Amino acid sequence: MSELAVETHLARRAPARWIEPDPRALAADIPPNVLVHLSELAARRGISSEPWFAGLGITRQQINDPSVRVSYRQARTVIARSLKVLRDPALGLLVGRNETIGSFGLLGLAMMTSRNFGEAMATGIENHKVCGSLLDVDFAVVDARTVAAQAWPRFGEIELLPFLCEELFSSSLALARELVGPKLIPARMELTYPAPAYADEYSKTFQCDVRFGAQYNRILIDAQWMDFPLPGYNPLTSRQALALCHQQLRGTNSSDEIVGSVERLLRSRLREHPRLTEVARTLHLSERSLRRRLADSGRIFREIHDRVRAERALELLHAGQMSVAEIGIELGFSDPREFRRAFKRWTGMPPQLARRSFP
């Protein structure tokens, strides 16, 4: 087979398969909250969700058990099947808009009883995995007047990114408005993927400027909201609810925690091309200790760095707003040729071909 034929064959593969699978996607450590919401929506429409769980080792009834956890692979399979059956293009917005503080369980209680909105936002972001989030979430200071909640896809997810962002950001806004009132309107929304056919639904939901094809997935708000006092403030209840959230989070494999910490740090500093020594110093570890802890989880620093860069490159290529050279700079490459070579090493194809293969 010629090189061109090989590249054409690779381009037909799903984007998520361009990068070697991450074994963490098979770990059953995610609360099935989103799957419950989707199943309940199907039931209200008279549709059985049982077939969505076929062959996955879990059933519709089992996800109602609060102790049950699912893997990322299981969750994304159920979501992909639900999208095909329910045929609602704005499904993520619909699910998220209908969530309430009660949908967030203990985390909702911890946020509701926080001192102010800034404290509640920090609590929600720090403990977002308690509610079964399929995206990684962090906090960013955009400028002197604006802050943001940012979302990062896991395991190079592109196909389901619109649904995941819709559900996360619309439910977060619904929760925020329960905390401080309907006057909270985002400064703007930014999303890395192209505008869908139903983009008007975003404007109706978020009531702000929505920018597609951006560099980040994030919802931006005026920093003045951070000091807004919450009427439900109760320090004792807040501490008790937080303690229970932390107890649930401790069920996560500690060796995976260090991998996640390294990934988050690398994502925030990709332009700087951080080295192992710098990452270890930032995490208050010696280089030797960091190497050992990564080895305990079966990982090495270079592999993690390459994966984070490959996933970010694919996300920006899919957005379609930046040139290949600009994406290379975003990932810490000063020479576009070096970026092209690295990208082909990571994915098996040049970035231009990867961009053309996106739907």
Side-chain angles (χ1 to χ4, degrees):
M1 186 179 290
S2 68
E3 182 176 348
L4 176 60
V6 170
E7 290 183 350
T8 302
H9 169 71
L10 287 169
R12 293 182 181 137
R13 298 164 62 194
R17 295 182 182 179
W18 292 341
I19 306 173
E20 286 300 313
D22 190 317
R24 289 176 299 163
L26 303 179
D29 55 7
I30 302 172
N33 298 36
V34 175
L35 309 189
V36 172
H37 296 318
L38 286 169
S39 296
E40 291 177 345
L41 174 61
R44 289 195 294 272
R45 294 183 177 182
I47 298 172
S48 172
S49 59
E50 284 289 350
W52 303 350
F53 298 85
L56 296 179
I58 53 172
T59 66
R60 168 64 184 92
Q61 289 72 28
Q62 287 173 337
I63 64 171
N64 286 330
D65 184 339
S67 67
V68 165
R69 298 293 182 267
V70 298
S71 70
Y72 186 91
R73 181 189 67 84
Q74 290 171 320
R76 84 169 308 281
T77 300
V78 171
I79 292 170
R81 290 172 177 175
S82 72
L83 285 167
K84 291 180 180 179
V85 172
L86 296 175
R87 296 184 180 181
D88 191 327
L91 186 60
L93 296 175
L94 176 62
V95 171
R97 284 195 302 250
N98 289 321
E99 294 181 43
T100 65
I101 286 181
S103 305
F104 289 75
L106 287 170
L107 181 56
L109 179 61
M111 295 174 70
M112 183 174 62
T113 53
S114 297
R115 182 186 302 273
N116 54 43
F117 182 70
E119 186 177 295
M121 187 173 177
T123 294
I125 290 173
E126 179 185 356
N127 299 277
H128 68 278
K129 291 184 178 180
V130 169
C131 292
S133 174
L134 297 172
L135 296 167
D136 289 330
V137 185
D138 63 23
F139 177 82
V141 177
V142 179
D143 54 44
R145 296 182 297 179
T146 316
V147 296
Q150 297 185 151
W152 304 88
R154 297 182 193 170
F155 314 126
E157 182 65 70
I158 290 177
E159 180 186 354
L160 297 185
L161 186 58
F163 171 87
L164 297 178
C165 285
E166 290 166 9
E167 189 277 331
L168 172 72
F169 289 127
S170 59
S171 64
S172 297
L173 181 58
L175 171 58
R177 286 174 172 164
E178 281 197 68
L179 293 175
V180 302
K183 291 184 178 180
L184 191 156
I185 297 176
R188 68 177 181 273
M189 284 283 304
E190 295 177 356
L191 300 156
T192 59
Y193 47 87
Y198 55 93
D200 287 349
E201 290 296 321
Y202 283 75
S203 299
K204 293 177 184 177
T205 299
F206 299 105
Q207 300 176 310
C208 67
D209 178 29
V210 181
R211 302 178 185 178
F212 294 95
Q215 290 190 41
Y216 301 99
N217 295 297
R218 60 187 183 181
I219 184 167
L220 295 83
I221 63 171
D222 192 315
Q224 291 183 349
W225 283 105
M226 296 294 98
D227 296 324
F228 189 94
L230 299 187
Y233 173 53
N234 185 310
L236 177 60
T237 302
S238 183
R239 285 197 298 271
Q240 290 173 334
L242 265 179
L244 291 172
C245 286
H246 293 161
Q247 183 177 334
Q248 290 186 17
L249 287 175
R250 279 196 294 271
T252 303
N253 189 310
S254 61
S255 65
D256 287 343
E257 288 178 0
I258 190 62
V259 175
S261 296
V262 170
E263 287 177 337
R264 285 190 292 274
L265 195 152
L266 288 172
R267 286 191 194 119
S268 67
R269 294 168 55 183
L270 278 178
R271 276 177 170 258
E272 303 168 28
H273 198 64
R275 305 293 183 182
L276 176 65
T277 303
E278 301 165 53
V279 172
R281 186 184 307 118
T282 304
L283 295 175
H284 306 290
L285 295 169
S286 68
E287 182 177 340
R288 182 179 179 182
S289 294
L290 179 55
R291 285 185 188 276
R292 185 180 66 251
R293 292 185 63 178
L294 290 175
D296 288 343
S297 64
R299 309 292 288 277
I300 59 174
F301 178 77
R302 179 177 176 178
E303 180 266 328
I304 296 172
H305 195 186
D306 284 350
R307 179 182 292 275
V308 168
R309 290 187 292 178
E311 291 176 352
R312 180 67 170 145
L314 287 169
E315 185 181 11
L316 294 175
L317 286 168
H318 184 233
Q321 299 299 307
M322 299 173 70
S323 69
V324 170
E326 289 171 333
I327 293 174
I329 292 171
E330 181 71 15
L331 269 60
F333 291 90
S334 56
D335 186 339
R337 292 170 298 180
E338 290 183 6
F339 167 60
R340 290 188 181 95
R341 285 194 293 268
F343 186 88
K344 189 168 184 179
R345 186 178 72 250
W346 300 332
T347 67
M349 69 175 68
Q352 296 92 335
L353 184 60
R355 168 168 275 165
R356 290 197 300 270
S357 68
F358 283 112

